[in-house]
Amino acid sequence: KGKLIKLLLDVDTGIDDALALFYLAEARKKGEIEILGSTTVGGNVEVGQTTLNTLNIWEMLDLDIPVAAGAKQPLMAPLNPAPFVHGDDGLGNTFLSSPKKLPSDESAVEMILRLSHEYAGELTLLTTAPLTNIATALLHDPSLASRIGKVVIMGGAVFTGNVSAVAEANIANDPEAARIVFRSGMEMTLVGLDVTHEVFWEEQDLKELVKIANGRSAFLIQIIDFISTAYESLSGWKRCVLHDPLAAGVCLFPDLVKSEKRYVDVELNGELTRGMTVVDRRGRTPLGEENMNVALEVDAKRFKTQLMESLLTWVREG
Ligand code: BDR
Ligand code: CA
């Protein structure tokens, strides 16, 4: 096996972000990755809450991973949080008590820049949130791009949308930031709704989990149920869609998805299309300008099983 993956996470924890953290914690235990730090941003709920949630999840997992608080607001437009999807507390109205640890003294941007120097060329950046922190760090120091190994972004879509017909929440919450990141020259993979919508749990997928009666399973069931019910009222399907966990999975196992190398930009001004990821899939043009890998197919079964196994391992130890 190659070198250990060194991860830096940028999150807006959030129910599916939390599931991604559980998954990554298990991978870390198995010695598959190192988690160097986590930065937070406003998204699903405001940044004060996403910071508390991230601290709380690491605490549940008994992990001492620093959490640096980041941007309160997108670069230009106001934030559109989604408490109806993630709960007023961002974690399905479980209203956890305050975490024992405090956020880091450094800001998200400071943490991103520091780690990019300490691990130049080696960092994998996983983003499951609006790209405000990453864009701000790039604006501060454009040479950051050359020190990042690769970036896996949960965001965007080729053929669909969620907050609008064509826009996905993480990109739509800060399209200007997304454009800065997309144009940065970093090696990027976009894990968008085309693949994340294929990976979800329904009631029958949760059978093993509900059999275990302890606090850990009760917490997971509550957050999964909250987001599934919210999704049902929006879409008609009672499902927990595993957006952020899938992006985490792609960091570890890139072959979970099939992707195409394409030129992708973000629409900033469209009357109906602001925040849309515009993916140029023309055969020949603009040759040489492809800026990222865009995931188009996913081995959903393999990932759902893998993710559930990670959760069950943690739950059984509780
Ligand atoms: C993305 O938006 C957030 O609601 C989720 O946490 C995920 O990162 C899905 O569009
Ligand atoms: Ca998220």
Side-chain angles (χ1 to χ4, degrees):
K1 262 205 153 168
K3 271 213 257 152
L4 212 59
I5 296 166
K6 293 182 169 51
L7 265 189
L8 170 59
L9 317 174
D10 188 62
V11 295
D12 64 338
T13 318
I15 291 174
D16 61 324
D17 302 76
L19 295 174
L21 300 184
F22 284 111
Y23 169 79
L24 290 168
E26 201 49 40
R28 179 185 174 278
K29 234 167 71 195
K30 289 192 234 159
E32 292 168 343
I33 56 167
E34 247 179 278
I35 306 173
L36 299 172
S38 45
T39 55
T40 59
V41 64
N44 294 321
V45 284
E46 55 96 28
V47 69
Q49 190 65 44
T50 65
T51 305
L52 291 175
N53 292 350
T54 308
L55 286 163
N56 262 326
I57 299 293
W58 291 141
E59 188 177 312
M60 273 187 210
L61 286 158
D62 211 10
L63 286 178
D64 191 13
I65 293 169
V67 177
K72 284 197 174 68
Q73 290 292 331
L75 296 183
M76 305 198 40
L79 184 73
N80 248 317
F84 43 93
V85 179
H86 293 269
D88 291 333
D89 64 348
L91 288 175
N93 292 341
T94 49
F95 299 112
L96 301 173
S97 41
S98 303
K100 292 198 188 85
K101 286 191 46 184
L102 293 173
S104 310
D105 291 332
E106 59 186 354
S107 69
V109 169
E110 285 165 350
M111 179 180 278
I112 294 165
L113 292 174
R114 176 177 58 77
L115 289 172
S116 77
H117 283 284
E118 286 175 20
Y119 298 91
E122 290 185 282
L123 274 188
T124 297
L125 185 58
L126 167 63
T127 71
T128 64
L131 291 161
T132 321
N133 290 334
I134 319 300
T136 309
L138 284 163
L139 289 172
H140 229 267
D141 177 2
S143 73
L144 166 66
S146 67
R147 293 189 302 276
I148 295 293
K150 65 172 185 176
V151 192
V152 176
I153 298 168
M154 192 285 125
V158 184
F159 296 111
T160 186
N162 58 7
V163 292
S164 77
V166 294
E168 179 281 329
N170 289 339
I171 305 298
N173 248 324
D174 198 342
E176 282 77 17
R179 177 175 278 193
I180 290 167
V181 174
F182 286 11
R183 293 182 175 186
S184 67
M186 297 189 285
E187 188 188 319
M188 289 174 273
T189 299
L190 196 68
V191 179
L193 300 175
D194 309 286
V195 285
T196 66
H197 276 162
E198 300 291 315
V199 189
F200 53 81
W201 287 326
E202 291 178 323
E203 212 176 319
Q204 67 267 22
D205 300 301
L206 306 171
K207 280 190 193 135
E208 289 301 308
L209 187 62
V210 296
K211 273 193 214 154
I212 310 168
N214 67 17
R216 290 181 177 186
S217 75
F219 174 76
L220 290 176
I221 290 163
Q222 191 172 339
I223 63 174
I224 293 168
D225 195 61
F226 189 98
I227 204 164
S228 305
T229 304
Y231 194 73
E232 184 179 24
S233 64
L234 294 169
S235 74
W237 290 296
K238 186 161 186 188
R239 289 180 179 169
C240 174
V241 182
L242 303 163
H243 306 283
D244 295 345
L246 180 63
V250 170
C251 289
L252 273 73
F253 306 104
D255 68 344
L256 276 168
V257 291
K258 274 194 201 142
S259 42
E260 285 178 359
K261 196 137 207 223
R262 293 293 173 188
Y263 181 74
V264 186
D265 205 339
V266 184
E267 175 61 54
L268 303 183
N269 298 313
E271 189 188 345
L272 302 171
T273 54
R274 179 167 155 84
M276 176 184 187
T277 45
V278 179
V279 181
D280 193 337
R281 300 188 75 214
R282 289 174 290 180
R284 302 192 62 234
T285 41
L287 261 195
E289 286 180 18
E290 298 86 354
N291 59 348
M292 65 184 80
N293 301 302
V294 180
L296 284 163
E297 280 174 55
V298 57
D299 188 342
K301 193 154 174 255
R302 175 176 158 209
F303 183 67
K304 299 174 35 164
T305 316
Q306 194 184 96
L307 177 62
M308 185 49 83
E309 278 312 310
S310 311
L311 295 190
L312 288 171
T313 306
W314 175 73
V315 166
R316 287 186 182 120
E317 286 163 0

Coordinates of all heavy atoms in Angstrom, one line a residue, residues 238-305:
K238 N -38.5 8.8 1.2 CA -37.9 8.8 2.6 C -36.5 8.1 2.6 O -36.4 6.9 2.6 CB -38.8 8.0 3.6 CG -38.4 8.2 5.0 CD -39.4 7.9 6.0 CE -38.8 8.2 7.4 NZ -39.5 7.9 8.5
R239 N -35.5 9.0 2.5 CA -34.2 8.5 2.3 C -33.2 9.4 3.0 O -33.4 10.6 3.1 CB -33.8 8.6 0.8 CG -34.4 7.7 -0.1 CD -34.0 8.0 -1.5 NE -34.7 7.0 -2.3 CZ -34.7 7.0 -3.7 NH1 -34.1 7.9 -4.3 NH2 -35.3 6.0 -4.3
C240 N -32.1 8.7 3.5 CA -31.0 9.5 4.0 C -29.9 9.5 2.9 O -29.3 8.4 2.6 CB -30.5 8.9 5.2 SG -28.9 9.6 5.9
V241 N -29.8 10.6 2.1 CA -28.9 10.6 1.0 C -27.5 10.9 1.6 O -27.3 11.8 2.4 CB -29.3 11.7 0.0 CG1 -28.3 11.7 -1.2 CG2 -30.7 11.4 -0.5
L242 N -26.5 10.1 1.1 CA -25.2 10.1 1.8 C -24.2 10.9 1.0 O -23.1 10.5 0.6 CB -24.7 8.7 1.9 CG -25.7 7.8 2.7 CD1 -25.5 6.3 2.5 CD2 -25.7 8.2 4.2
H243 N -24.5 12.2 0.8 CA -23.6 13.1 0.0 C -22.2 13.2 0.6 O -21.2 12.8 -0.1 CB -24.1 14.6 0.1 CG -25.6 14.8 -0.3 ND1 -26.0 14.8 -1.6 CD2 -26.7 15.0 0.4 CE1 -27.3 15.0 -1.7 NE2 -27.7 15.2 -0.5
D244 N -22.1 13.7 1.8 CA -20.7 14.0 2.3 C -19.9 12.7 2.6 O -18.7 12.6 2.4 CB -20.8 14.9 3.6 CG -21.4 16.2 3.3 OD1 -21.4 16.6 2.1 OD2 -21.8 17.0 4.2
P245 N -20.6 11.6 3.2 CA -19.9 10.4 3.3 C -19.3 9.9 2.0 O -18.2 9.4 2.0 CB -20.9 9.4 3.9 CG -21.9 10.3 4.6 CD -21.9 11.6 3.8
L246 N -20.0 10.0 0.9 CA -19.5 9.5 -0.4 C -18.2 10.3 -0.8 O -17.2 9.7 -1.2 CB -20.5 9.6 -1.5 CG -20.0 9.1 -2.8 CD1 -19.6 7.6 -2.8 CD2 -21.0 9.3 -4.0
A247 N -18.2 11.6 -0.6 CA -17.0 12.3 -0.9 C -15.9 11.9 0.0 O -14.7 11.7 -0.5 CB -17.3 13.8 -0.7
A248 N -16.1 11.6 1.2 CA -15.1 11.0 2.1 C -14.6 9.7 1.6 O -13.4 9.4 1.5 CB -15.6 10.9 3.5
G249 N -15.6 8.9 1.1 CA -15.2 7.6 0.6 C -14.3 7.7 -0.6 O -13.4 6.9 -0.8
V250 N -14.6 8.7 -1.5 CA -13.8 8.9 -2.7 C -12.3 9.3 -2.3 O -11.4 9.0 -3.1 CB -14.5 9.9 -3.6 CG1 -13.6 10.3 -4.8 CG2 -15.8 9.3 -4.1
C251 N -12.2 10.0 -1.2 CA -10.8 10.3 -0.8 C -10.0 9.0 -0.5 O -8.8 8.9 -0.9 CB -10.8 11.1 0.5 SG -11.4 12.7 0.4
L252 N -10.6 8.0 0.1 CA -10.0 6.8 0.4 C -9.9 5.8 -0.7 O -8.9 5.1 -0.9 CB -10.7 6.1 1.6 CG -10.3 6.5 3.0 CD1 -10.8 7.9 3.3 CD2 -10.8 5.6 4.0
F253 N -11.0 5.7 -1.5 CA -11.1 4.8 -2.6 C -11.6 5.5 -3.8 O -12.8 5.5 -4.1 CB -12.1 3.6 -2.2 CG -11.8 3.0 -0.9 CD1 -12.5 3.3 0.3 CD2 -10.7 2.1 -0.8 CE1 -12.2 2.7 1.5 CE2 -10.4 1.5 0.5 CZ -11.1 1.8 1.6
P254 N -10.7 6.1 -4.5 CA -11.1 6.9 -5.7 C -11.9 6.0 -6.7 O -12.7 6.5 -7.5 CB -9.7 7.3 -6.3 CG -8.8 7.3 -5.2 CD -9.2 6.2 -4.3
D255 N -11.6 4.7 -6.7 CA -12.3 3.9 -7.7 C -13.8 3.6 -7.3 O -14.5 2.8 -8.0 CB -11.6 2.6 -8.0 CG -11.5 1.6 -6.8 OD1 -11.8 2.1 -5.6 OD2 -11.2 0.5 -6.9
L256 N -14.3 4.2 -6.3 CA -15.7 4.1 -6.0 C -16.5 4.8 -7.1 O -17.7 4.5 -7.3 CB -16.1 4.8 -4.6 CG -15.9 4.0 -3.4 CD1 -16.0 4.9 -2.2 CD2 -16.9 2.8 -3.3
V257 N -15.9 5.8 -7.7 CA -16.6 6.5 -8.8 C -15.9 6.4 -10.1 O -14.6 6.2 -10.1 CB -16.8 8.0 -8.4 CG1 -17.8 8.2 -7.3 CG2 -15.5 8.7 -8.1
K258 N -16.6 6.6 -11.2 CA -16.0 6.7 -12.5 C -16.2 8.2 -12.8 O -17.3 8.7 -12.7 CB -16.7 5.9 -13.5 CG -16.2 4.5 -13.6 CD -16.7 3.8 -14.9 CE -16.6 2.3 -14.7 NZ -17.8 1.6 -15.3
S259 N -15.1 8.8 -13.2 CA -15.2 10.2 -13.5 C -14.6 10.6 -14.9 O -13.9 9.8 -15.5 CB -14.5 11.1 -12.4 OG -13.3 10.5 -12.0
E260 N -15.0 11.8 -15.3 CA -14.5 12.3 -16.6 C -13.7 13.6 -16.2 O -14.1 14.4 -15.4 CB -15.6 12.8 -17.5 CG -16.4 11.6 -18.1 CD -17.5 12.2 -19.0 OE1 -17.8 13.4 -19.0 OE2 -18.2 11.3 -19.6
K261 N -12.6 13.8 -17.0 CA -11.9 15.0 -16.8 C -12.5 16.1 -17.6 O -12.7 16.0 -18.8 CB -10.4 14.8 -17.2 CG -9.5 15.9 -16.7 CD -8.2 15.4 -16.1 CE -7.8 16.4 -15.1 NZ -6.6 16.9 -15.0
R262 N -13.0 17.2 -17.0 CA -13.8 18.2 -17.7 C -13.4 19.6 -17.2 O -12.9 19.8 -16.2 CB -15.3 18.0 -17.4 CG -15.8 16.7 -18.0 CD -15.8 16.7 -19.5 NE -16.1 15.5 -20.1 CZ -16.1 15.2 -21.4 NH1 -15.6 16.1 -22.3 NH2 -16.4 14.0 -21.9
Y263 N -13.8 20.6 -18.0 CA -13.8 22.0 -17.6 C -15.1 22.3 -16.9 O -16.1 22.2 -17.5 CB -13.5 22.9 -18.8 CG -13.4 24.3 -18.3 CD1 -12.2 24.8 -17.7 CD2 -14.4 25.2 -18.5 CE1 -12.1 26.0 -17.2 CE2 -14.3 26.5 -18.0 CZ -13.2 26.9 -17.4 OH -13.1 28.2 -16.9
V264 N -15.0 22.8 -15.7 CA -16.2 23.1 -14.9 C -16.0 24.6 -14.4 O -15.0 24.9 -13.9 CB -16.3 22.2 -13.7 CG1 -17.7 22.5 -13.0 CG2 -16.3 20.7 -14.1
D265 N -17.1 25.3 -14.6 CA -17.1 26.7 -14.0 C -18.4 26.9 -13.3 O -19.3 26.0 -13.3 CB -16.9 27.7 -15.1 CG -16.4 29.0 -14.6 OD1 -16.5 29.3 -13.4 OD2 -15.8 29.8 -15.4
V266 N -18.6 28.0 -12.6 CA -19.8 28.2 -11.8 C -20.5 29.4 -12.4 O -19.9 30.5 -12.6 CB -19.4 28.5 -10.3 CG1 -20.7 28.6 -9.5 CG2 -18.6 27.4 -9.8
E267 N -21.8 29.3 -12.5 CA -22.6 30.4 -13.0 C -22.9 31.3 -11.8 O -23.3 30.9 -10.7 CB -24.0 29.9 -13.5 CG -25.0 30.9 -13.9 CD -24.5 31.8 -15.0 OE1 -24.1 31.4 -16.0 OE2 -24.5 33.1 -14.8
L268 N -22.6 32.6 -12.0 CA -22.7 33.6 -10.9 C -24.0 34.5 -11.1 O -24.5 34.9 -10.1 CB -21.5 34.5 -10.8 CG -20.2 33.8 -10.6 CD1 -19.1 34.8 -10.5 CD2 -20.2 32.9 -9.4
N269 N -24.4 34.7 -12.3 CA -25.4 35.7 -12.5 C -26.7 35.2 -13.0 O -27.7 36.0 -13.1 CB -24.9 36.7 -13.5 CG -23.6 37.4 -13.0 OD1 -23.6 37.9 -11.8 ND2 -22.6 37.5 -13.8
G270 N -26.8 34.0 -13.4 CA -28.1 33.5 -14.1 C -29.3 33.8 -13.3 O -29.3 33.7 -12.0
E271 N -30.4 34.2 -14.0 CA -31.6 34.5 -13.3 C -32.2 33.3 -12.6 O -32.8 33.3 -11.6 CB -32.6 35.1 -14.4 CG -33.9 35.6 -13.8 CD -34.8 36.0 -15.0 OE1 -34.4 36.0 -16.1 OE2 -36.0 36.2 -14.6
L272 N -32.0 32.1 -13.3 CA -32.6 30.9 -12.8 C -31.4 29.9 -12.4 O -31.7 28.8 -11.9 CB -33.4 30.2 -13.9 CG -34.6 31.0 -14.4 CD1 -35.2 30.2 -15.6 CD2 -35.6 31.1 -13.3
T273 N -30.2 30.3 -12.7 CA -29.1 29.3 -12.7 C -27.9 29.7 -11.8 O -26.9 29.0 -11.8 CB -28.6 29.1 -14.1 OG1 -28.2 30.3 -14.7 CG2 -29.6 28.4 -15.0
R274 N -28.1 30.7 -11.0 CA -26.9 31.1 -10.1 C -26.5 29.9 -9.3 O -27.4 29.2 -8.7 CB -27.3 32.3 -9.2 CG -26.2 32.7 -8.3 CD -26.5 34.0 -7.6 NE -25.8 34.2 -6.4 CZ -24.5 34.6 -6.2 NH1 -23.8 34.9 -7.3 NH2 -24.0 34.7 -5.1
G275 N -25.2 29.6 -9.2 CA -24.7 28.5 -8.4 C -24.7 27.2 -9.2 O -24.2 26.2 -8.6
M276 N -25.1 27.2 -10.4 CA -25.0 26.0 -11.2 C -23.6 25.7 -11.6 O -22.8 26.6 -11.9 CB -25.8 26.2 -12.5 CG -25.7 25.1 -13.5 SD -26.6 25.6 -15.0 CE -26.6 24.0 -15.9
T277 N -23.2 24.4 -11.5 CA -21.9 24.0 -12.0 C -22.0 23.7 -13.5 O -22.8 22.8 -13.9 CB -21.3 22.8 -11.3 OG1 -22.3 21.8 -11.2 CG2 -20.8 23.2 -9.9
V278 N -21.4 24.5 -14.3 CA -21.5 24.3 -15.8 C -20.3 23.4 -16.3 O -19.1 23.8 -16.2 CB -21.4 25.7 -16.5 CG1 -21.5 25.5 -18.0 CG2 -22.5 26.6 -16.0
V279 N -20.7 22.3 -16.7 CA -19.7 21.2 -17.0 C -19.6 21.1 -18.5 O -20.6 20.7 -19.2 CB -20.1 19.9 -16.4 CG1 -19.0 18.8 -16.7 CG2 -20.2 20.0 -14.9
D280 N -18.5 21.4 -19.1 CA -18.3 21.3 -20.5 C -18.0 19.9 -21.0 O -16.9 19.4 -20.8 CB -17.2 22.3 -21.0 CG -17.2 22.5 -22.5 OD1 -17.8 21.6 -23.2 OD2 -16.7 23.5 -22.9
R281 N -19.0 19.2 -21.5 CA -18.8 17.8 -21.9 C -18.7 17.7 -23.4 O -18.9 16.6 -24.0 CB -20.0 17.0 -21.4 CG -20.1 17.0 -19.9 CD -21.1 16.0 -19.3 NE -20.6 14.7 -19.4 CZ -21.3 13.6 -19.7 NH1 -22.6 13.7 -19.9 NH2 -20.8 12.4 -19.7
R282 N -18.5 18.8 -24.1 CA -18.2 18.7 -25.5 C -17.0 17.8 -25.8 O -16.0 17.9 -25.0 CB -18.0 20.1 -26.2 CG -19.3 20.8 -26.2 CD -19.1 22.2 -26.7 NE -18.4 23.0 -25.7 CZ -18.0 24.3 -25.9 NH1 -18.4 24.9 -27.0 NH2 -17.4 25.0 -25.0
G283 N -17.0 17.0 -26.8 CA -15.9 16.1 -27.0 C -14.6 16.7 -27.1 O -13.6 16.2 -26.5
R284 N -14.4 17.8 -27.9 CA -13.1 18.2 -28.2 C -12.7 19.5 -27.6 O -11.5 19.8 -27.5 CB -12.9 18.3 -29.7 CG -13.2 17.0 -30.4 CD -12.8 17.0 -31.9 NE -11.3 17.2 -32.0 CZ -10.8 18.2 -32.7 NH1 -11.5 19.0 -33.4 NH2 -9.5 18.3 -32.8
T285 N -13.6 20.3 -27.2 CA -13.2 21.7 -26.7 C -13.6 21.8 -25.3 O -14.6 21.2 -24.9 CB -14.0 22.8 -27.5 OG1 -15.3 22.3 -27.7 CG2 -13.3 23.1 -28.8
P286 N -13.0 22.6 -24.5 CA -11.7 23.3 -24.9 C -10.5 22.5 -24.4 O -10.2 22.4 -23.3 CB -11.8 24.6 -24.0 CG -12.7 24.2 -22.8 CD -13.4 22.9 -23.2
L287 N -10.0 21.7 -25.4 CA -8.9 20.8 -25.1 C -7.8 21.4 -24.2 O -7.4 22.5 -24.5 CB -8.2 20.3 -26.4 CG -8.7 19.0 -26.9 CD1 -7.7 18.5 -28.0 CD2 -8.7 17.9 -25.8
G288 N -7.4 20.7 -23.2 CA -6.3 21.2 -22.4 C -6.8 22.1 -21.2 O -6.0 22.4 -20.4
E289 N -8.0 22.4 -21.2 CA -8.5 23.3 -20.2 C -9.2 22.6 -19.1 O -9.8 23.3 -18.2 CB -9.4 24.4 -20.8 CG -8.6 25.5 -21.5 CD -9.5 26.5 -22.1 OE1 -10.6 26.7 -21.7 OE2 -9.0 27.2 -23.1
E290 N -9.3 21.3 -19.1 CA -10.0 20.5 -18.1 C -9.4 20.9 -16.8 O -8.2 20.8 -16.6 CB -9.9 19.0 -18.4 CG -10.5 18.6 -19.7 CD -9.5 18.7 -20.9 OE1 -8.4 19.2 -20.7 OE2 -9.8 18.2 -22.0
N291 N -10.3 21.2 -15.8 CA -9.8 21.6 -14.5 C -10.1 20.7 -13.4 O -9.7 20.8 -12.3 CB -10.2 23.0 -14.2 CG -11.7 23.2 -14.1 OD1 -12.4 22.4 -14.6 ND2 -12.1 24.3 -13.6
M292 N -10.9 19.6 -13.7 CA -11.2 18.7 -12.6 C -11.8 17.4 -13.1 O -12.2 17.3 -14.2 CB -12.1 19.3 -11.5 CG -13.5 19.6 -12.0 SD -14.4 20.4 -10.7 CE -13.8 22.1 -10.8
N293 N -11.8 16.4 -12.2 CA -12.5 15.1 -12.5 C -13.9 15.3 -12.0 O -14.1 15.7 -10.9 CB -11.8 14.0 -11.7 CG -10.3 13.9 -12.1 OD1 -10.0 13.7 -13.3 ND2 -9.4 14.0 -11.2
V294 N -14.8 14.9 -12.8 CA -16.2 15.0 -12.4 C -16.8 13.6 -12.3 O -16.8 12.8 -13.3 CB -17.0 15.8 -13.5 CG1 -18.5 15.9 -13.1 CG2 -16.4 17.2 -13.7
A295 N -17.2 13.2 -11.1 CA -17.8 11.9 -10.9 C -19.1 11.7 -11.5 O -20.0 12.6 -11.4 CB -17.9 11.6 -9.4
L296 N -19.3 10.7 -12.3 CA -20.5 10.5 -13.0 C -21.2 9.1 -12.7 O -22.4 9.0 -12.9 CB -20.3 10.6 -14.5 CG -20.1 12.0 -15.0 CD1 -19.5 12.0 -16.4 CD2 -21.5 12.7 -15.0
E297 N -20.4 8.2 -12.2 CA -21.0 6.9 -11.9 C -20.4 6.4 -10.6 O -19.3 6.7 -10.3 CB -20.6 5.8 -12.9 CG -21.5 5.8 -14.2 CD -20.9 4.8 -15.2 OE1 -20.8 3.6 -14.8 OE2 -20.6 5.3 -16.3
V298 N -21.2 5.7 -9.8 CA -20.7 5.2 -8.5 C -21.1 3.8 -8.2 O -22.2 3.4 -8.6 CB -21.3 6.2 -7.4 CG1 -22.8 6.3 -7.4 CG2 -20.8 5.8 -6.0
D299 N -20.3 3.1 -7.5 CA -20.6 1.8 -7.0 C -21.3 1.9 -5.7 O -20.8 1.9 -4.6 CB -19.3 1.0 -6.9 CG -19.6 -0.5 -6.6 OD1 -20.7 -0.8 -6.1 OD2 -18.6 -1.3 -6.7
A300 N -22.6 2.2 -5.8 CA -23.4 2.6 -4.6 C -23.5 1.5 -3.6 O -23.4 1.7 -2.4 CB -24.8 3.0 -5.1
K301 N -23.7 0.3 -4.1 CA -23.8 -0.8 -3.1 C -22.6 -1.0 -2.3 O -22.6 -1.2 -1.0 CB -24.1 -2.1 -3.9 CG -24.6 -3.2 -3.1 CD -25.4 -4.2 -3.8 CE -25.7 -5.4 -2.9 NZ -24.9 -6.6 -3.2
R302 N -21.4 -1.0 -2.9 CA -20.2 -1.1 -2.2 C -20.0 -0.1 -1.1 O -19.7 -0.3 0.0 CB -19.0 -1.0 -3.2 CG -17.6 -1.1 -2.6 CD -16.5 -1.1 -3.7 NE -15.3 -0.6 -3.2 CZ -14.4 0.0 -3.9 NH1 -14.6 0.3 -5.2 NH2 -13.2 0.4 -3.4
F303 N -20.3 1.2 -1.5 CA -20.1 2.2 -0.5 C -21.1 2.2 0.6 O -20.8 2.4 1.8 CB -20.1 3.6 -1.2 CG -19.8 4.7 -0.1 CD1 -18.6 4.7 0.5 CD2 -20.8 5.5 0.3 CE1 -18.3 5.6 1.5 CE2 -20.5 6.5 1.3 CZ -19.3 6.5 1.9
K304 N -22.4 2.0 0.3 CA -23.4 2.0 1.4 C -23.1 0.9 2.4 O -23.2 1.1 3.6 CB -24.8 1.5 0.9 CG -25.4 2.3 0.0 CD -26.8 1.7 -0.6 CE -27.7 1.0 0.3 NZ -29.0 0.9 -0.3
T305 N -22.6 -0.2 1.9 CA -22.3 -1.3 2.8 C -21.1 -1.0 3.7 O -21.1 -1.2 4.9 CB -22.0 -2.6 2.0 OG1 -23.0 -2.7 1.0 CG2 -21.9 -3.8 2.9

